[in-house]
Amino acid sequence: QVTLVESGGGLVQPGGSLRLSCAASGTIFKIFSMAWYRQASGKQRELVASMPSDGSTNYADSVKGRFTISRDSAKNMVYLQMTSLKPEDTAAYYCNAYASVIANPLKLDNYWGRGTQVTVSS
């Protein structure tokens, strides 16, 4: 299995910055992509940013130019640098990995962390 643990959330004022981290562990064979999603209260979970193994990046329009996703593949880590935060960025942020495990290297599954809360408020 693959376990994802997020960290770095908290309370920040509008215009501030936060850096989220996600560590993947377990019997990992290969991680093909990692991503950050968020879910605000009463809303559906949405993709914030993703980074496949080829190093390309994809961002939601609402965060382009403000958020940056990065990966350390050697450490199975993914990060989300968030700047110019707005109250509408308030949400639980979830780490996602599309990966296979040693026991079944050809089978890809989606794995999720438990989330970290980001609150943007003055």
Side-chain angles (χ1 to χ4, degrees):
Q1 291 299 316
V2 178
T3 300
L4 303 175
V5 179
E6 304 97 336
S7 61
L11 174 64
V12 63
Q13 291 187 341
S17 300
L18 278 177
R19 186 186 191 224
L20 305 183
S21 300
C22 173
S25 62
T27 57
I28 300 168
F29 178 74
K30 185 173 181 178
I31 296 177
F32 290 84
S33 67
M34 297 191 81
W36 289 95
Y37 286 73
R38 67 186 181 186
Q39 186 168 16
S41 180
K43 294 187 177 181
Q44 289 188 331
R45 190 171 296 189
E46 62 175 359
L47 176 67
V48 176
S50 65
M51 191 170 192
S53 55
D54 65 1
S56 61
T57 55
N58 299 290
Y59 295 95
D61 287 343
S62 59
V63 307
K64 282 180 181 177
R66 300 189 298 120
F67 291 9
T68 303
I69 188 172
S70 60
R71 281 177 66 177
D72 185 337
S73 296
K75 296 182 179 179
N76 289 331
M77 298 282 297
V78 65
Y79 307 94
L80 186 68
Q81 180 67 48
M82 304 185 294
T83 63
S84 301
L85 283 161
K86 305 174 181 180
E88 51 263 43
D89 294 318
T90 296
Y93 283 71
Y94 296 90
C95 179
N96 169 269
Y98 191 53
S100 63
V101 296
I102 294 172
N104 197 346
L106 299 181
K107 183 177 184 295
L108 293 168
D109 280 314
N110 261 316
Y111 296 91
W112 295 91
R114 293 188 175 186
T116 185
Q117 179 67 33
V118 172
T119 302
V120 185
S121 175
S122 56

